Amino acid sequence: MRNTGRKLSIKVDCANGVGAVALRAISPLLSELVDIEIHNDGSEGELNKDCGADFVKLMQNAPKGVSYTENDHCYTIDGDADRILFFYSENHRFHLLDGDKISCLLASYIRRLLDEAEMSIEVGVVQTAYANGSSTSYLQDQGVEVVCVPTGVKHLHAAAEKMDIGIYFEANGHGTVLFSNKALTSINKEADQCDSLKGHRTPMQKLQNLTALINQACGDAVTNILVIEALLRDNRWMVSDWDGLYADLPYRQLKVAVADRSLIKTFDAERQVCEPEGLQAQIDDLVAQYMPGARCFVRPSGTENCVRVHAECRTQRDADALSMAVGQLVFDCTEKLRAKL
């Protein structure tokens, strides 16, 4: 971040975890640029209790102990500081910007710098089926390649490694940006040949600085706070500008308790069911009743004996109804199969 005379102020919920230690260490080094107000720093309270990224994502509300006003820049990280979410208030309404919004901010910024410099480096975003459909449409409209992989950081990271510049953030805020050696060589060569114009960095110099700031190891919430603030500042964006990149489709997620989750098998990055035979066709028939703009998928949990249902529609009412209908369908189907065993 460059000192433009306007000092930033941010609030960070550290979930009573290790992130507070790192933020205390770097705060003095950034004091001319940003005031970092640390909350839930571990001096009292329990780890991740009523605070932290998972709590805020689940409850859709601010963490305990954080008071904030209109358009404050607020972050919540989890106890081990590998997940990050952004939240703010506008017209007294809570707004949460999750991993999808972070991916889109990064992708649009990097794509713009490359276009301005006329550099032919490909940018891609890796998502899972849980990514909101509006984020996928936004990225594709920006000319960014979108790849869908099964749930799990190992799948996201592996796919991002195959790209020139690969961006991935799970909805829970866990992610990073990876730069291939080829991309880094091209960026550094172009940046080193450019002269700054009247004290302003060129697009490739900005991108070079971004590669130095981003931690390519998976999940560094503290670094990602600085990345987000740098991008908003350079874009001269208000938080509402970032939030306005796209509007999330209403969605509903359910857990369906089943006797044997292994009866459900999926393919196409967990977006379709291959077993039991005929279940996907029945799901498709239900989705068709809520078109256009509807989608729904089911996948067996990796940790619990349940099947997870995710539905998106143009209205919250339709998303709720579709998820319930598909959930009932899954339960009935698995019960019939179990009875035959």
Side-chain angles (χ1 to χ4, degrees):
M1 288 184 289
R2 184 166 56 90
N3 193 342
T4 61
R6 179 173 59 88
K7 193 171 184 179
L8 300 171
S9 179
I10 63 175
K11 302 172 186 288
V12 185
D13 160 38
C14 292
N16 295 310
V18 297
V21 178
L23 282 170
R24 282 203 200 93
I26 67 172
S27 290
L29 305 176
L30 301 172
S31 59
E32 293 185 5
L33 297 171
V34 59
D35 285 326
I36 302 176
E37 191 176 302
I38 301 173
H39 297 268
N40 298 315
D41 62 358
S43 58
E44 57 183 54
E46 298 178 29
L47 182 69
N48 292 323
K49 182 174 175 56
D50 299 330
C51 57
D54 286 344
F55 171 84
V56 173
K57 178 71 171 172
L58 178 65
M59 301 305 295
Q60 293 289 302
N61 208 344
K64 180 181 179 181
V66 179
S67 59
Y68 61 105
T69 57
E70 294 279 293
N71 293 307
D72 281 349
H73 289 206
C74 305
Y75 295 87
T76 177
I77 64 180
D78 62 336
D80 57 357
D82 63 357
R83 301 180 187 181
I84 175 176
L85 300 173
F86 185 102
F87 65 94
Y88 74 105
S89 174
E90 186 177 52
N91 297 323
H92 307 289
R93 180 169 170 262
F94 176 83
H95 293 258
L96 180 65
L97 281 67
D98 63 7
D100 292 342
K101 280 279 169 73
I102 296 172
S103 287
C104 289
L105 172 66
L106 283 158
S108 63
Y109 182 80
I110 293 172
R111 181 72 271 163
R112 177 175 65 80
L113 293 182
L114 291 170
D115 288 345
E116 289 177 359
E118 299 181 347
M119 295 286 289
S120 58
I121 299 175
E122 294 302 316
V123 181
V125 172
V126 187
Q127 296 184 326
T128 71
Y130 286 106
N132 194 274
S134 289
S135 71
T136 307
S137 297
Y138 170 80
L139 290 165
Q140 292 171 336
D141 289 344
Q142 300 300 307
V144 175
E145 178 188 9
V146 180
V147 174
C148 187
V149 299
T151 305
V153 169
K154 67 178 182 180
H155 300 296
L156 291 152
H157 197 88
E161 284 182 317
K162 298 176 182 178
M163 300 173 170
D164 288 345
I165 301 177
I167 302 165
Y168 72 90
F169 276 85
E170 294 180 290
N172 63 19
H174 195 179
T176 190
V177 183
L178 303 182
F179 297 87
S180 70
N181 288 333
K182 172 187 171 184
L184 285 172
T185 299
S186 297
I187 292 167
N188 290 332
K189 180 180 179 181
E190 185 69 19
D192 291 344
Q193 290 176 348
C194 295
D195 292 326
S196 299
L197 302 175
K198 298 180 179 179
H200 295 284
R201 296 182 178 90
T202 66
M204 281 303 94
Q205 288 173 332
K206 290 179 180 180
L207 190 53
Q208 184 184 52
N209 289 342
L210 189 62
T211 66
L213 177 57
I214 288 173
N215 186 348
Q216 296 190 60
C218 176
D220 183 342
V222 172
T223 294
N224 288 336
I225 289 173
L226 302 181
V227 169
I228 291 169
E229 289 298 326
L231 268 57
L232 293 176
R233 189 182 183 104
D234 193 54
N235 281 341
R236 300 183 183 275
W237 278 4
M238 300 287 288
V239 178
S240 56
D241 296 321
W242 174 21
D243 200 9
L245 290 178
Y246 63 87
D248 280 322
L249 283 168
Y251 69 93
R252 178 64 64 200
Q253 294 179 358
L254 296 178
K255 290 195 300 183
V256 181
V258 295
D260 184 1
R261 69 180 186 271
S262 68
L263 294 172
I264 304 292
K265 293 182 171 56
T266 64
F267 71 108
D268 188 25
E270 302 176 317
R271 291 176 290 187
Q272 295 192 68
V273 176
C274 55
E275 292 184 22
E277 186 177 351
L279 178 57
Q280 184 61 51
Q282 292 177 282
I283 293 173
D284 291 343
D285 288 343
L286 287 172
V287 171
Q289 298 175 24
Y290 296 91
M291 292 297 283
R295 72 180 182 106
C296 185
F297 68 90
V298 304
R299 57 175 289 270
S301 170
T303 57
E304 304 174 64
N305 206 21
C306 68
V307 175
R308 301 185 186 277
V309 178
H310 179 96
E312 287 179 10
C313 293
R314 289 181 299 171
T315 69
Q316 188 63 59
R317 181 177 179 179
D318 284 353
D320 293 344
L322 178 57
S323 64
M324 289 294 293
V326 172
Q328 187 64 54
L329 180 64
V330 168
F331 179 80
D332 292 343
C333 184
T334 54
E335 284 296 295
K336 288 178 182 178
L337 283 173
R338 189 171 69 93
K340 293 178 181 179
L341 297 178

PDB file of all heavy atoms in Angstrom, residues 290-320:
ATOM      1  N   TYR A 290     -38.559 -24.449 -10.930  1.00  0.00           N
ATOM      2  CA  TYR A 290     -38.171 -23.141 -10.398  1.00  0.00           C
ATOM      3  C   TYR A 290     -37.299 -22.359 -11.380  1.00  0.00           C
ATOM      4  O   TYR A 290     -36.712 -21.342 -11.009  1.00  0.00           O
ATOM      5  CB  TYR A 290     -37.431 -23.328  -9.067  1.00  0.00           C
ATOM      6  CG  TYR A 290     -38.303 -23.942  -7.997  1.00  0.00           C
ATOM      7  CD1 TYR A 290     -38.363 -25.323  -7.826  1.00  0.00           C
ATOM      8  CD2 TYR A 290     -39.088 -23.140  -7.184  1.00  0.00           C
ATOM      9  CE1 TYR A 290     -39.166 -25.888  -6.863  1.00  0.00           C
ATOM     10  CE2 TYR A 290     -39.896 -23.695  -6.201  1.00  0.00           C
ATOM     11  CZ  TYR A 290     -39.931 -25.071  -6.051  1.00  0.00           C
ATOM     12  OH  TYR A 290     -40.741 -25.620  -5.088  1.00  0.00           O
ATOM     13  N   MET A 291     -37.227 -22.834 -12.608  1.00  0.00           N
ATOM     14  CA  MET A 291     -36.442 -22.134 -13.621  1.00  0.00           C
ATOM     15  C   MET A 291     -37.178 -20.877 -14.093  1.00  0.00           C
ATOM     16  O   MET A 291     -38.407 -20.811 -13.990  1.00  0.00           O
ATOM     17  CB  MET A 291     -36.171 -23.060 -14.799  1.00  0.00           C
ATOM     18  CG  MET A 291     -35.241 -24.217 -14.448  1.00  0.00           C
ATOM     19  SD  MET A 291     -33.582 -23.694 -13.940  1.00  0.00           S
ATOM     20  CE  MET A 291     -32.868 -23.304 -15.531  1.00  0.00           C
ATOM     21  N   PRO A 292     -36.418 -19.867 -14.628  1.00  0.00           N
ATOM     22  CA  PRO A 292     -34.965 -19.878 -14.848  1.00  0.00           C
ATOM     23  C   PRO A 292     -34.187 -19.504 -13.588  1.00  0.00           C
ATOM     24  O   PRO A 292     -34.750 -18.972 -12.625  1.00  0.00           O
ATOM     25  CB  PRO A 292     -34.792 -18.817 -15.932  1.00  0.00           C
ATOM     26  CG  PRO A 292     -35.885 -17.828 -15.638  1.00  0.00           C
ATOM     27  CD  PRO A 292     -37.059 -18.643 -15.179  1.00  0.00           C
ATOM     28  N   GLY A 293     -32.895 -19.778 -13.631  1.00  0.00           N
ATOM     29  CA  GLY A 293     -32.001 -19.331 -12.570  1.00  0.00           C
ATOM     30  C   GLY A 293     -31.869 -20.258 -11.391  1.00  0.00           C
ATOM     31  O   GLY A 293     -31.199 -19.913 -10.421  1.00  0.00           O
ATOM     32  N   ALA A 294     -32.497 -21.447 -11.461  1.00  0.00           N
ATOM     33  CA  ALA A 294     -32.435 -22.360 -10.323  1.00  0.00           C
ATOM     34  C   ALA A 294     -31.383 -23.437 -10.551  1.00  0.00           C
ATOM     35  O   ALA A 294     -31.102 -23.835 -11.685  1.00  0.00           O
ATOM     36  CB  ALA A 294     -33.794 -23.001 -10.094  1.00  0.00           C
ATOM     37  N   ARG A 295     -30.812 -23.915  -9.465  1.00  0.00           N
ATOM     38  CA  ARG A 295     -29.942 -25.078  -9.516  1.00  0.00           C
ATOM     39  C   ARG A 295     -29.950 -25.737  -8.151  1.00  0.00           C
ATOM     40  O   ARG A 295     -30.239 -25.092  -7.129  1.00  0.00           O
ATOM     41  CB  ARG A 295     -28.507 -24.734  -9.945  1.00  0.00           C
ATOM     42  CG  ARG A 295     -27.681 -23.997  -8.900  1.00  0.00           C
ATOM     43  CD  ARG A 295     -26.272 -23.709  -9.421  1.00  0.00           C
ATOM     44  NE  ARG A 295     -25.452 -23.058  -8.416  1.00  0.00           N
ATOM     45  CZ  ARG A 295     -24.461 -23.651  -7.737  1.00  0.00           C
ATOM     46  NH1 ARG A 295     -24.167 -24.922  -7.974  1.00  0.00           N
ATOM     47  NH2 ARG A 295     -23.770 -22.990  -6.829  1.00  0.00           N
ATOM     48  N   CYS A 296     -29.643 -27.026  -8.114  1.00  0.00           N
ATOM     49  CA  CYS A 296     -29.589 -27.744  -6.849  1.00  0.00           C
ATOM     50  C   CYS A 296     -28.685 -28.953  -7.021  1.00  0.00           C
ATOM     51  O   CYS A 296     -28.698 -29.608  -8.070  1.00  0.00           O
ATOM     52  CB  CYS A 296     -31.000 -28.186  -6.429  1.00  0.00           C
ATOM     53  SG  CYS A 296     -31.053 -28.961  -4.787  1.00  0.00           S
ATOM     54  N   PHE A 297     -27.885 -29.236  -6.014  1.00  0.00           N
ATOM     55  CA  PHE A 297     -27.062 -30.434  -6.040  1.00  0.00           C
ATOM     56  C   PHE A 297     -27.044 -31.056  -4.647  1.00  0.00           C
ATOM     57  O   PHE A 297     -27.328 -30.383  -3.639  1.00  0.00           O
ATOM     58  CB  PHE A 297     -25.633 -30.135  -6.513  1.00  0.00           C
ATOM     59  CG  PHE A 297     -24.818 -29.305  -5.566  1.00  0.00           C
ATOM     60  CD1 PHE A 297     -24.042 -29.890  -4.577  1.00  0.00           C
ATOM     61  CD2 PHE A 297     -24.825 -27.915  -5.667  1.00  0.00           C
ATOM     62  CE1 PHE A 297     -23.289 -29.115  -3.700  1.00  0.00           C
ATOM     63  CE2 PHE A 297     -24.084 -27.130  -4.794  1.00  0.00           C
ATOM     64  CZ  PHE A 297     -23.309 -27.730  -3.812  1.00  0.00           C
ATOM     65  N   VAL A 298     -26.718 -32.338  -4.603  1.00  0.00           N
ATOM     66  CA  VAL A 298     -26.604 -33.053  -3.330  1.00  0.00           C
ATOM     67  C   VAL A 298     -25.273 -33.780  -3.312  1.00  0.00           C
ATOM     68  O   VAL A 298     -24.755 -34.181  -4.367  1.00  0.00           O
ATOM     69  CB  VAL A 298     -27.767 -34.048  -3.116  1.00  0.00           C
ATOM     70  CG1 VAL A 298     -29.109 -33.330  -3.211  1.00  0.00           C
ATOM     71  CG2 VAL A 298     -27.715 -35.196  -4.106  1.00  0.00           C
ATOM     72  N   ARG A 299     -24.703 -33.926  -2.138  1.00  0.00           N
ATOM     73  CA  ARG A 299     -23.436 -34.652  -2.006  1.00  0.00           C
ATOM     74  C   ARG A 299     -23.362 -35.260  -0.612  1.00  0.00           C
ATOM     75  O   ARG A 299     -23.804 -34.642   0.377  1.00  0.00           O
ATOM     76  CB  ARG A 299     -22.226 -33.737  -2.244  1.00  0.00           C
ATOM     77  CG  ARG A 299     -22.149 -32.530  -1.348  1.00  0.00           C
ATOM     78  CD  ARG A 299     -20.869 -31.726  -1.554  1.00  0.00           C
ATOM     79  NE  ARG A 299     -19.703 -32.412  -1.049  1.00  0.00           N
ATOM     80  CZ  ARG A 299     -19.257 -32.284   0.206  1.00  0.00           C
ATOM     81  NH1 ARG A 299     -19.890 -31.519   1.081  1.00  0.00           N
ATOM     82  NH2 ARG A 299     -18.187 -32.941   0.587  1.00  0.00           N
ATOM     83  N   PRO A 300     -22.827 -36.466  -0.494  1.00  0.00           N
ATOM     84  CA  PRO A 300     -22.663 -37.064   0.834  1.00  0.00           C
ATOM     85  C   PRO A 300     -21.596 -36.315   1.627  1.00  0.00           C
ATOM     86  O   PRO A 300     -20.566 -35.921   1.070  1.00  0.00           O
ATOM     87  CB  PRO A 300     -22.227 -38.498   0.527  1.00  0.00           C
ATOM     88  CG  PRO A 300     -21.594 -38.423  -0.825  1.00  0.00           C
ATOM     89  CD  PRO A 300     -22.330 -37.343  -1.564  1.00  0.00           C
ATOM     90  N   SER A 301     -21.844 -36.104   2.895  1.00  0.00           N
ATOM     91  CA  SER A 301     -20.865 -35.435   3.746  1.00  0.00           C
ATOM     92  C   SER A 301     -19.613 -36.293   3.869  1.00  0.00           C
ATOM     93  O   SER A 301     -19.690 -37.525   3.880  1.00  0.00           O
ATOM     94  CB  SER A 301     -21.469 -35.187   5.134  1.00  0.00           C
ATOM     95  OG  SER A 301     -20.478 -34.746   6.039  1.00  0.00           O
ATOM     96  N   GLY A 302     -18.491 -35.632   3.988  1.00  0.00           N
ATOM     97  CA  GLY A 302     -17.247 -36.363   4.190  1.00  0.00           C
ATOM     98  C   GLY A 302     -16.985 -36.690   5.642  1.00  0.00           C
ATOM     99  O   GLY A 302     -16.085 -37.483   5.953  1.00  0.00           O
ATOM    100  N   THR A 303     -17.762 -36.090   6.543  1.00  0.00           N
ATOM    101  CA  THR A 303     -17.480 -36.268   7.976  1.00  0.00           C
ATOM    102  C   THR A 303     -18.673 -36.748   8.784  1.00  0.00           C
ATOM    103  O   THR A 303     -18.503 -37.331   9.857  1.00  0.00           O
ATOM    104  CB  THR A 303     -16.997 -34.934   8.587  1.00  0.00           C
ATOM    105  OG1 THR A 303     -17.995 -33.921   8.345  1.00  0.00           O
ATOM    106  CG2 THR A 303     -15.677 -34.495   7.965  1.00  0.00           C
ATOM    107  N   GLU A 304     -19.888 -36.509   8.307  1.00  0.00           N
ATOM    108  CA  GLU A 304     -21.084 -36.891   9.048  1.00  0.00           C
ATOM    109  C   GLU A 304     -21.923 -37.847   8.220  1.00  0.00           C
ATOM    110  O   GLU A 304     -21.836 -37.863   6.996  1.00  0.00           O
ATOM    111  CB  GLU A 304     -21.931 -35.649   9.383  1.00  0.00           C
ATOM    112  CG  GLU A 304     -21.204 -34.569  10.150  1.00  0.00           C
ATOM    113  CD  GLU A 304     -22.071 -33.324  10.314  1.00  0.00           C
ATOM    114  OE1 GLU A 304     -23.121 -33.425  10.990  1.00  0.00           O
ATOM    115  OE2 GLU A 304     -21.723 -32.288   9.750  1.00  0.00           O
ATOM    116  N   ASN A 305     -22.752 -38.636   8.901  1.00  0.00           N
ATOM    117  CA  ASN A 305     -23.626 -39.561   8.182  1.00  0.00           C
ATOM    118  C   ASN A 305     -24.876 -38.813   7.725  1.00  0.00           C
ATOM    119  O   ASN A 305     -25.967 -38.984   8.257  1.00  0.00           O
ATOM    120  CB  ASN A 305     -24.004 -40.752   9.054  1.00  0.00           C
ATOM    121  CG  ASN A 305     -24.335 -41.969   8.210  1.00  0.00           C
ATOM    122  OD1 ASN A 305     -23.918 -42.049   7.050  1.00  0.00           O
ATOM    123  ND2 ASN A 305     -25.077 -42.898   8.750  1.00  0.00           N
ATOM    124  N   CYS A 306     -24.676 -37.952   6.745  1.00  0.00           N
ATOM    125  CA  CYS A 306     -25.763 -37.157   6.207  1.00  0.00           C
ATOM    126  C   CYS A 306     -25.458 -36.813   4.750  1.00  0.00           C
ATOM    127  O   CYS A 306     -24.336 -37.011   4.274  1.00  0.00           O
ATOM    128  CB  CYS A 306     -25.976 -35.880   7.027  1.00  0.00           C
ATOM    129  SG  CYS A 306     -24.626 -34.681   6.891  1.00  0.00           S
ATOM    130  N   VAL A 307     -26.463 -36.306   4.078  1.00  0.00           N
ATOM    131  CA  VAL A 307     -26.311 -35.822   2.711  1.00  0.00           C
ATOM    132  C   VAL A 307     -26.601 -34.329   2.715  1.00  0.00           C
ATOM    133  O   VAL A 307     -27.615 -33.893   3.288  1.00  0.00           O
ATOM    134  CB  VAL A 307     -27.264 -36.556   1.750  1.00  0.00           C
ATOM    135  CG1 VAL A 307     -27.170 -35.955   0.344  1.00  0.00           C
ATOM    136  CG2 VAL A 307     -26.939 -38.038   1.702  1.00  0.00           C
ATOM    137  N   ARG A 308     -25.729 -33.558   2.113  1.00  0.00           N
ATOM    138  CA  ARG A 308     -25.895 -32.105   2.083  1.00  0.00           C
ATOM    139  C   ARG A 308     -26.624 -31.688   0.814  1.00  0.00           C
ATOM    140  O   ARG A 308     -26.326 -32.181  -0.274  1.00  0.00           O
ATOM    141  CB  ARG A 308     -24.535 -31.412   2.180  1.00  0.00           C
ATOM    142  CG  ARG A 308     -23.764 -31.781   3.458  1.00  0.00           C
ATOM    143  CD  ARG A 308     -22.474 -31.008   3.598  1.00  0.00           C
ATOM    144  NE  ARG A 308     -21.707 -31.473   4.735  1.00  0.00           N
ATOM    145  CZ  ARG A 308     -21.893 -31.103   5.991  1.00  0.00           C
ATOM    146  NH1 ARG A 308     -22.850 -30.229   6.271  1.00  0.00           N
ATOM    147  NH2 ARG A 308     -21.145 -31.580   6.964  1.00  0.00           N
ATOM    148  N   VAL A 309     -27.567 -30.776   0.980  1.00  0.00           N
ATOM    149  CA  VAL A 309     -28.362 -30.265  -0.133  1.00  0.00           C
ATOM    150  C   VAL A 309     -28.106 -28.771  -0.261  1.00  0.00           C
ATOM    151  O   VAL A 309     -28.154 -28.039   0.731  1.00  0.00           O
ATOM    152  CB  VAL A 309     -29.871 -30.512   0.099  1.00  0.00           C
ATOM    153  CG1 VAL A 309     -30.693 -29.932  -1.055  1.00  0.00           C
ATOM    154  CG2 VAL A 309     -30.157 -31.997   0.274  1.00  0.00           C
ATOM    155  N   HIS A 310     -27.827 -28.316  -1.482  1.00  0.00           N
ATOM    156  CA  HIS A 310     -27.625 -26.882  -1.747  1.00  0.00           C
ATOM    157  C   HIS A 310     -28.537 -26.482  -2.894  1.00  0.00           C
ATOM    158  O   HIS A 310     -28.476 -27.068  -3.981  1.00  0.00           O
ATOM    159  CB  HIS A 310     -26.169 -26.607  -2.117  1.00  0.00           C
ATOM    160  CG  HIS A 310     -25.882 -25.169  -2.426  1.00  0.00           C
ATOM    161  ND1 HIS A 310     -25.380 -24.290  -1.483  1.00  0.00           N
ATOM    162  CD2 HIS A 310     -26.032 -24.445  -3.567  1.00  0.00           C
ATOM    163  CE1 HIS A 310     -25.236 -23.091  -2.036  1.00  0.00           C
ATOM    164  NE2 HIS A 310     -25.624 -23.160  -3.302  1.00  0.00           N
ATOM    165  N   ALA A 311     -29.381 -25.479  -2.655  1.00  0.00           N
ATOM    166  CA  ALA A 311     -30.312 -25.004  -3.681  1.00  0.00           C
ATOM    167  C   ALA A 311     -30.183 -23.502  -3.847  1.00  0.00           C
ATOM    168  O   ALA A 311     -30.040 -22.769  -2.861  1.00  0.00           O
ATOM    169  CB  ALA A 311     -31.749 -25.362  -3.309  1.00  0.00           C
ATOM    170  N   GLU A 312     -30.214 -23.044  -5.097  1.00  0.00           N
ATOM    171  CA  GLU A 312     -30.218 -21.612  -5.418  1.00  0.00           C
ATOM    172  C   GLU A 312     -31.392 -21.307  -6.333  1.00  0.00           C
ATOM    173  O   GLU A 312     -31.693 -22.079  -7.245  1.00  0.00           O
ATOM    174  CB  GLU A 312     -28.932 -21.202  -6.137  1.00  0.00           C
ATOM    175  CG  GLU A 312     -27.703 -21.154  -5.277  1.00  0.00           C
ATOM    176  CD  GLU A 312     -26.462 -20.762  -6.070  1.00  0.00           C
ATOM    177  OE1 GLU A 312     -26.606 -20.339  -7.239  1.00  0.00           O
ATOM    178  OE2 GLU A 312     -25.358 -20.897  -5.533  1.00  0.00           O
ATOM    179  N   CYS A 313     -32.053 -20.186  -6.086  1.00  0.00           N
ATOM    180  CA  CYS A 313     -33.175 -19.747  -6.914  1.00  0.00           C
ATOM    181  C   CYS A 313     -33.193 -18.223  -6.954  1.00  0.00           C
ATOM    182  O   CYS A 313     -32.419 -17.561  -6.261  1.00  0.00           O
ATOM    183  CB  CYS A 313     -34.513 -20.262  -6.365  1.00  0.00           C
ATOM    184  SG  CYS A 313     -34.728 -22.050  -6.457  1.00  0.00           S
ATOM    185  N   ARG A 314     -34.106 -17.684  -7.719  1.00  0.00           N
ATOM    186  CA  ARG A 314     -34.200 -16.231  -7.834  1.00  0.00           C
ATOM    187  C   ARG A 314     -34.783 -15.595  -6.577  1.00  0.00           C
ATOM    188  O   ARG A 314     -34.580 -14.405  -6.327  1.00  0.00           O
ATOM    189  CB  ARG A 314     -35.048 -15.858  -9.050  1.00  0.00           C
ATOM    190  CG  ARG A 314     -34.370 -16.145 -10.391  1.00  0.00           C
ATOM    191  CD  ARG A 314     -35.246 -15.739 -11.557  1.00  0.00           C
ATOM    192  NE  ARG A 314     -36.508 -16.484 -11.569  1.00  0.00           N
ATOM    193  CZ  ARG A 314     -37.530 -16.216 -12.355  1.00  0.00           C
ATOM    194  NH1 ARG A 314     -37.452 -15.196 -13.206  1.00  0.00           N
ATOM    195  NH2 ARG A 314     -38.629 -16.945 -12.317  1.00  0.00           N
ATOM    196  N   THR A 315     -35.524 -16.342  -5.768  1.00  0.00           N
ATOM    197  CA  THR A 315     -36.077 -15.811  -4.522  1.00  0.00           C
ATOM    198  C   THR A 315     -35.734 -16.752  -3.380  1.00  0.00           C
ATOM    199  O   THR A 315     -35.537 -17.962  -3.586  1.00  0.00           O
ATOM    200  CB  THR A 315     -37.609 -15.654  -4.604  1.00  0.00           C
ATOM    201  OG1 THR A 315     -38.215 -16.959  -4.651  1.00  0.00           O
ATOM    202  CG2 THR A 315     -38.020 -14.836  -5.822  1.00  0.00           C
ATOM    203  N   GLN A 316     -35.685 -16.202  -2.168  1.00  0.00           N
ATOM    204  CA  GLN A 316     -35.389 -17.030  -1.003  1.00  0.00           C
ATOM    205  C   GLN A 316     -36.490 -18.060  -0.766  1.00  0.00           C
ATOM    206  O   GLN A 316     -36.217 -19.209  -0.384  1.00  0.00           O
ATOM    207  CB  GLN A 316     -35.227 -16.150   0.237  1.00  0.00           C
ATOM    208  CG  GLN A 316     -34.722 -16.895   1.461  1.00  0.00           C
ATOM    209  CD  GLN A 316     -33.326 -17.453   1.246  1.00  0.00           C
ATOM    210  OE1 GLN A 316     -32.388 -16.711   0.979  1.00  0.00           O
ATOM    211  NE2 GLN A 316     -33.171 -18.772   1.353  1.00  0.00           N
ATOM    212  N   ARG A 317     -37.715 -17.663  -1.019  1.00  0.00           N
ATOM    213  CA  ARG A 317     -38.834 -18.584  -0.829  1.00  0.00           C
ATOM    214  C   ARG A 317     -38.684 -19.809  -1.727  1.00  0.00           C
ATOM    215  O   ARG A 317     -38.892 -20.951  -1.285  1.00  0.00           O
ATOM    216  CB  ARG A 317     -40.150 -17.865  -1.128  1.00  0.00           C
ATOM    217  CG  ARG A 317     -41.393 -18.727  -0.936  1.00  0.00           C
ATOM    218  CD  ARG A 317     -42.644 -17.909  -1.185  1.00  0.00           C
ATOM    219  NE  ARG A 317     -43.853 -18.711  -1.031  1.00  0.00           N
ATOM    220  CZ  ARG A 317     -45.085 -18.253  -1.169  1.00  0.00           C
ATOM    221  NH1 ARG A 317     -45.267 -16.955  -1.471  1.00  0.00           N
ATOM    222  NH2 ARG A 317     -46.123 -19.039  -1.006  1.00  0.00           N
ATOM    223  N   ASP A 318     -38.318 -19.588  -2.986  1.00  0.00           N
ATOM    224  CA  ASP A 318     -38.141 -20.707  -3.900  1.00  0.00           C
ATOM    225  C   ASP A 318     -36.937 -21.569  -3.509  1.00  0.00           C
ATOM    226  O   ASP A 318     -36.980 -22.804  -3.618  1.00  0.00           O
ATOM    227  CB  ASP A 318     -37.962 -20.201  -5.330  1.00  0.00           C
ATOM    228  CG  ASP A 318     -39.268 -19.748  -5.963  1.00  0.00           C
ATOM    229  OD1 ASP A 318     -40.331 -19.951  -5.334  1.00  0.00           O
ATOM    230  OD2 ASP A 318     -39.220 -19.178  -7.075  1.00  0.00           O
ATOM    231  N   ALA A 319     -35.846 -20.942  -3.067  1.00  0.00           N
ATOM    232  CA  ALA A 319     -34.671 -21.697  -2.638  1.00  0.00           C
ATOM    233  C   ALA A 319     -35.002 -22.591  -1.448  1.00  0.00           C
ATOM    234  O   ALA A 319     -34.581 -23.751  -1.380  1.00  0.00           O
ATOM    235  CB  ALA A 319     -33.527 -20.748  -2.291  1.00  0.00           C
ATOM    236  N   ASP A 320     -35.776 -22.055  -0.503  1.00  0.00           N
ATOM    237  CA  ASP A 320     -36.200 -22.844   0.656  1.00  0.00           C
ATOM    238  C   ASP A 320     -37.052 -24.028   0.218  1.00  0.00           C
ATOM    239  O   ASP A 320     -36.848 -25.168   0.669  1.00  0.00           O
ATOM    240  CB  ASP A 320     -36.996 -21.975   1.633  1.00  0.00           C
ATOM    241  CG  ASP A 320     -36.154 -20.900   2.295  1.00  0.00           C
ATOM    242  OD1 ASP A 320     -34.911 -21.002   2.247  1.00  0.00           O
ATOM    243  OD2 ASP A 320     -36.745 -19.958   2.850  1.00  0.00           O
TER     244      ASP A 320
END
